Amino acid sequence: MKFTGKIWKFGDNIDTDAIIPARYLNIRDPQGLAAHCMEDADPDFMKKMKKGDIIVGGENFGCGSSREHAPIAIKAAGIACVVARSFARIFYRNSFNMGLPIFESRTLWGEVTDGSEIEVDADTGLIRIPGVSADPVRIQPVPPFMQELIADGGLMNHIAKGRAK
Amino acid sequence: MGMTITEKILSRHAGLEEVRPGMLINARVDIALGNDITAPIAIDAFRKAGGKEVFDTKKVVLVPDHFAPNKDIDSAEQCKLMRDFAHEQAITHYFEVGEAGIEHALLPEKGIVVPGDVVIGADSHTCTYGALGAFATGVGSTDLAAAMITGELWFKVPETIKFIYHGNARPWVSGKDLILYTIGRIGVHGALYRAMEFVGEIFRVLPMADRMTMANMAVEAGGKSGIFIPDEITEVYVRKRAERPYEFYTSDPDALYHSTIDIDVTKIEPQVAFPHLPSNTKGISEVGNVPIDQSFIGSCTNGWIEDLRVAAEILKGRHIAYGHRLIIIPATPAIYRQAMKEGLFDIFLDAGGVISLPTCGPCLGGYMGILAKGERSVSTTNRNFVGRMGHPESEVYLAGPAVAAATAVAGRLAGPEQL
Ligand code: SF4
């Protein structure tokens, strides 16, 4: 897995109410949710972002409610992946279960500015920031079981596969 | 080497002699919960994966509480989808409007969750049931779908942080103040991925409701779960309710903890968490002059009968400030009836408050009590994120029922002792 894109940088504790406000939770359609992605963190986000862009967050990204609508909205908006210093645990679980690629990196946040281009290489576990730094940034390794989930295409496919055995 | 209560419950449910933090396990799930927001997505996933029948019709629980009674056409569709599924699958614990209350108050009240359980819920405040000595944690809708099919789910065994509360509480200090103070101290990711185990002499005198309030907010510190060691108070609460056999687990003296945090309760005054994080806490004596437009007393955090009694004690013979709105929501129909019987409704109505049917309501800015731009609400709920109760430029101040009631009277942030 490799992603190259422009980043949108957010701070610490970006909560699920900021990612997709509760007032839109009566919507279930991914595109309908995507229309309000990050609305309470940046009201113009959907106007400015392009498909393939990358979100970079600080600590505890995705904290708050268990709503899967949050990773669904981000994925449906066309965001390629999210890299944060740390993720709230339900958001972390949900993202793997949904197939939204997310990566933890303690250091990336400090090295990039809004609008930088980065290259995330999940296979080597390295992120490059062309033109800013020659040294790549390391991603926290993903546990083998979670890699298996992604390889199977998310939790439900993983289960379907297991049951077919 | 010993295990913590959390490790013991998980090892038993995984069919293992022993588990250690960091291990990935597959555990049997006693109860799998969904609500009108999260269950519809789970039901879609259930069907897409070829699910035909839920693993156990008594162990899947569905509660319409967030946007129910239906607030608009879209929520009506979501509630209907869940209702149809519940009927199709003959789900025992589906609660229709009239029987339904806020899920995290309803499940313990009805004895559906019991000590020693592993409970997963597609709602982040599922951690509330840790109050009973169960391992309970919030998950997403896809996890719920998986559990509905298989009756199992994968977990990473969490490390545990032990919180020891020393000394007795000052007047008007409740479980809400203890947990707000704790989150203020460790921050909103202070317990990220970890179990929070709450111990201390003080819990022998605080009622079960205070434990529920504290376990409820473990997720606000990033915690995977919050848990209390069951004791006589648990026994009294559970004995007359439990619909299944239950088991009390305890932590071994030589159990290994990630860390231990000591908290001096005698120093804690009623707390307020300022916008926009639950960790932004101050003691009531330090809040300054903050005019407040609305007070909300309710939610899975503080919609218990004990909370309503505290509010009534303060509101009795008093009236809320001119121009202020006071909204009170008992968390379940049983609490509603009890409050009515005890005459609390007269006190609230005489004070100028309004009482709503059991629902999440204003807590998540869903419906009722939505805030306009620039408005401020004091709220006994658990989150004060940007836009949580309405306009992105409105503000939420989290507090316990005593501060919320006193604030309604004063029209600005106040504790009972300032009235
Ligand atoms: S009362 Fe609030 S926090 Fe509790 S379940 Fe309802 S919306 Fe969630």
Side-chain angles (χ1 to χ4, degrees):
Chain A
M1 267 187 298
K2 250 189 204 157
F3 309 97
T4 306
K6 188 176 138 182
I7 67 149
W8 298 93
K9 192 175 169 185
F10 294 89
D12 292 344
N13 304 310
I14 293 295
D15 59 83
T16 54
D17 280 288
I19 299 170
I20 181 77
R23 56 184 179 276
Y24 303 120
L25 294 184
N26 52 4
I27 303 173
R28 207 150 37 92
D29 165 54
Q31 288 311 321
L33 290 167
H36 304 288
C37 182
M38 305 305 284
E39 189 168 297
D40 283 2
D42 176 355
D44 295 326
F45 181 74
M46 285 308 291
K47 284 189 211 129
K48 300 185 296 195
M49 65 85 58
K50 284 203 196 59
K51 264 198 170 358
D53 285 355
I54 292 168
I55 288 179
V56 174
E59 301 282 3
N60 206 20
F61 187 90
C63 62
S65 91
S66 69
R67 62 189 73 151
E68 227 159 73
H69 313 63
I72 291 176
I74 292 175
K75 197 177 168 198
I79 291 292
C81 66
V82 184
V83 188
R85 296 180 88 138
S86 65
F87 290 94
R89 60 160 283 278
I90 305 180
F91 183 90
Y92 186 81
R93 254 190 111 96
N94 285 346
S95 299
F96 278 95
N97 288 344
M98 306 304 310
L100 170 69
I102 61 170
F103 306 99
E104 276 185 338
S105 163
R106 300 297 311 159
T107 49
L108 178 72
W109 197 88
E111 303 211 6
V112 292
T113 46
D114 210 16
S116 313
E117 286 268 342
I118 62 170
E119 283 171 31
V120 181
D121 186 336
D123 302 321
T124 57
L126 296 174
I127 302 178
R128 285 186 189 73
I129 318 167
V132 173
S133 155
D135 297 330
V137 169
R138 196 150 274 292
I139 316 174
Q140 301 278 56
V142 177
F145 171 74
M146 319 274 294
Q147 288 176 15
E148 206 179 296
L149 275 189
I150 294 177
D152 282 351
L155 180 64
M156 295 317 283
N157 289 332
H158 178 72
I159 285 176
K161 250 176 116 173
R163 286 168 80 80
K165 261 185 225 152
Chain B
M1 200 196 311
M3 288 194 281
T4 65
I5 177 170
T6 301
E7 290 155 10
K8 282 187 192 170
I9 296 174
L10 287 175
S11 67
R12 176 69 66 88
H13 284 75
L16 299 169
E17 281 288 300
E18 188 182 276
V19 299
R20 293 289 163 209
M23 274 174 72
L24 281 161
I25 57 164
N26 232 2
R28 193 164 46 74
V29 165
D30 294 301
I31 292 293
L33 162 76
N35 59 48
D36 53 316
I37 290 181
T38 57
I41 294 184
I43 293 165
D44 282 350
F46 177 89
R47 297 213 197 280
K48 266 196 210 124
K52 295 275 180 299
E53 283 174 5
V54 298
F55 80 104
D56 187 330
T57 54
K58 290 194 200 66
K59 293 186 169 180
V60 173
V61 181
L62 299 172
V63 187
D65 57 355
H66 280 63
F67 293 157
N70 313 334
K71 77 156 174 151
D72 56 17
I73 296 171
D74 285 331
S75 2
E77 296 292 344
Q78 302 215 117
C79 287
K80 180 167 186 300
L81 198 153
M82 184 164 91
R83 177 183 304 114
D84 291 348
F85 180 79
H87 290 167
E88 167 202 307
Q89 296 283 326
I91 300 287
T92 318
H93 298 307
Y94 165 71
F95 297 90
E96 195 48 86
V97 167
E99 305 175 297
I102 302 173
E103 53 204 36
H104 307 310
L106 197 65
L107 269 59
E109 179 187 288
K110 299 260 182 211
I112 296 169
V113 290
V114 297
D117 272 357
V118 166
V119 184
I120 60 112
D123 189 278
S124 60
H125 293 104
T126 301
C127 51
T128 309
Y129 318 128
L132 301 174
F135 173 81
T137 192
V139 297
S141 296
T142 302
D143 281 315
L144 172 61
M148 288 199 305
I149 294 176
T150 63
E152 293 179 349
L153 201 59
W154 67 271
F155 298 97
K156 192 162 152 194
V157 178
E159 295 176 301
T160 299
I161 306 179
K162 187 177 192 174
F163 295 82
I164 309 178
Y165 295 84
H166 301 276
N168 292 321
R170 296 192 199 176
W172 303 108
V173 167
S174 68
K176 182 62 163 287
D177 303 298
L178 300 188
I179 193 67
L180 283 177
Y181 178 88
T182 304
I183 297 168
R185 210 162 121 184
I186 66 170
V188 289
H189 44 89
L192 196 62
Y193 303 128
R194 307 210 161 94
M196 301 172 79
E197 188 176 311
F198 303 108
V199 299
E201 289 293 309
I202 184 158
F203 300 118
R204 288 168 177 268
V205 292
L206 291 180
M208 184 53 79
D210 290 74
R211 299 186 190 188
M212 301 274 194
T213 306
M214 292 183 69
N216 175 274
M217 289 193 72
V219 63
E220 260 56 70
K224 177 172 200 150
S225 55
I227 199 160
F228 286 81
I229 309 287
D231 57 9
E232 310 84 67
I233 291 182
T234 322
E235 178 65 31
V236 170
Y237 183 87
V238 174
R239 196 188 305 138
K240 53 181 189 285
R241 306 170 190 269
E243 59 170 37
R244 282 178 290 121
Y246 50 91
E247 195 167 342
F248 283 12
Y249 291 82
T250 187
S251 291
D252 293 324
D254 59 343
L256 221 56
Y257 289 89
H258 166 270
S259 52
T260 299
I261 294 177
D262 292 283
I263 290 172
D264 182 355
V265 177
T266 61
K267 294 227 166 68
I268 300 176
E269 51 169 345
Q271 301 284 304
V272 179
F274 275 53
H276 291 286
L277 283 179
S279 56
N280 226 347
T281 51
K282 291 184 187 173
I284 192 68
S285 64
E286 299 162 352
V287 297
N289 184 15
V290 184
I292 300 285
D293 304 288
Q294 174 176 299
S295 301
F296 171 46
I297 300 173
S299 85
C300 57
T301 318
N302 282 121
W304 308 88
I305 187 70
E306 289 83 353
D307 300 315
L308 303 184
R309 287 182 191 137
V310 168
E313 203 178 323
I314 291 160
L315 291 167
K316 188 162 190 176
R318 292 191 165 110
H319 200 278
I320 61 171
Y322 176 76
H324 192 85
R325 290 111 56 186
L326 168 64
I327 301 172
I328 295 174
I329 306 192
T332 69
I335 297 171
Y336 192 96
R337 187 187 293 271
Q338 182 67 24
M340 194 166 64
K341 269 197 196 154
E342 290 180 18
L344 307 188
F345 281 11
D346 286 328
I347 296 172
F348 297 150
L349 293 169
D350 288 344
V354 65
I355 303 145
S356 149
L357 53 100
T359 178
C360 294
C363 172
L364 79 164
Y367 68 140
M368 285 196 296
I370 306 279
L371 300 174
K373 184 173 174 173
E375 283 191 325
R376 297 197 186 104
S377 179
V378 69
S379 178
T380 67
T381 55
N382 42 42
R383 291 195 174 128
N384 56 353
F385 301 147
V386 170
R388 174 73 179 177
M389 286 178 68
H391 195 280
E393 284 171 46
S394 60
E395 294 181 345
V396 180
Y397 296 74
L398 302 177
V403 167
T407 296
V409 173
R412 57 181 170 76
L413 282 184
E417 279 165 2
Q418 275 104 9
L419 293 183

